[in-house]
């Protein structure tokens, strides 16, 4: 089993920045690919960003391209999501996800491991 724990959420104003962290523990040698999803109020959980094991491949949702950056420190079993120029529409619960394949998937059905989520609220 792999356990994921997110941190770094909070309440900010539009234009501000936040950095989310996702720490993996347990059988982390089986984790190849990590991603961030978010669930906005009243909506389904959507893909935000994903990164492969080496960090050489990243994918982003169109709505966050140029503003968000996903990175990882494999030595620390941690993934990060740097969020800049935040907008009110970025508000939601952000979830870290991981899976045992080294291909960046944008579908939440492909992910095996999930964190509990961290709330991000952006006011206008």
């Amino acid at each position: 089993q792999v356990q994921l724990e997110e941190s770094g959420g909070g309440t900010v104003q539009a234009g501000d920045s936040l950095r989310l962290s996702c720490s993996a523990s347990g059988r982390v040698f089986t984790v190849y690919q990590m991603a961030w999803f978010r669930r906005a109020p009243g909506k389904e959980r959507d893909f935000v960003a994903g990164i492969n094991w080496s960090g050489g491949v990243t994918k982003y949702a169109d709505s966050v391209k140029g503003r968000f950056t996903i990175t990882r420190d494999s030595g620390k079993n941690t993934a990060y999501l740097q969020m800049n120029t935040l907008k009110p529409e970025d508000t939601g619960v952000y979830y870290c996800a991981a899976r045992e394949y080294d291909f960046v998937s944008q579908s939440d059905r492909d992910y095996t491991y999930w964190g509990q989520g961290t709330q991000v609220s952006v006011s206008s």
Side-chain angles (χ1 to χ4, degrees):
Q1 286 292 330
V2 174
Q3 294 78 44
L4 302 177
E5 182 174 6
E6 305 97 336
S7 62
T11 299
V12 297
Q13 293 187 331
D16 285 350
S17 298
L18 278 176
R19 189 175 83 153
L20 305 182
S21 298
C22 173
S23 178
S25 60
R27 292 171 55 89
V28 292
F29 57 85
T30 66
V31 172
Y32 292 99
Q33 196 244 301
M34 300 183 76
W36 290 94
F37 288 77
R38 71 184 176 197
R39 188 191 301 276
K43 296 186 178 180
E44 295 184 351
R45 187 166 55 189
D46 292 327
F47 173 82
V48 174
I51 189 167
N52 72 337
W53 170 254
S54 69
V57 178
T58 57
K59 292 185 180 180
Y60 296 93
D62 289 341
S63 60
V64 306
K65 283 181 180 176
R67 299 188 299 122
F68 291 12
T69 303
I70 186 170
T71 56
R72 71 185 298 166
D73 183 337
S74 296
K76 295 182 179 179
N77 300 314
T78 301
Y80 305 95
L81 185 67
Q82 178 66 43
M83 305 185 294
N84 297 330
T85 319
L86 282 161
K87 303 176 180 180
E89 51 263 44
D90 294 319
T91 293
V93 179
Y94 283 70
Y95 297 91
C96 177
R99 70 193 201 118
E100 300 173 5
Y101 297 93
D102 199 20
F103 175 79
V104 180
S105 172
Q106 300 186 43
S107 171
D108 62 353
R109 289 175 290 183
D110 289 337
Y111 289 84
T112 306
Y113 308 107
W114 291 89
Q116 293 298 309
T118 184
Q119 176 71 45
V120 172
S121 299
V122 185
S123 60
S124 58

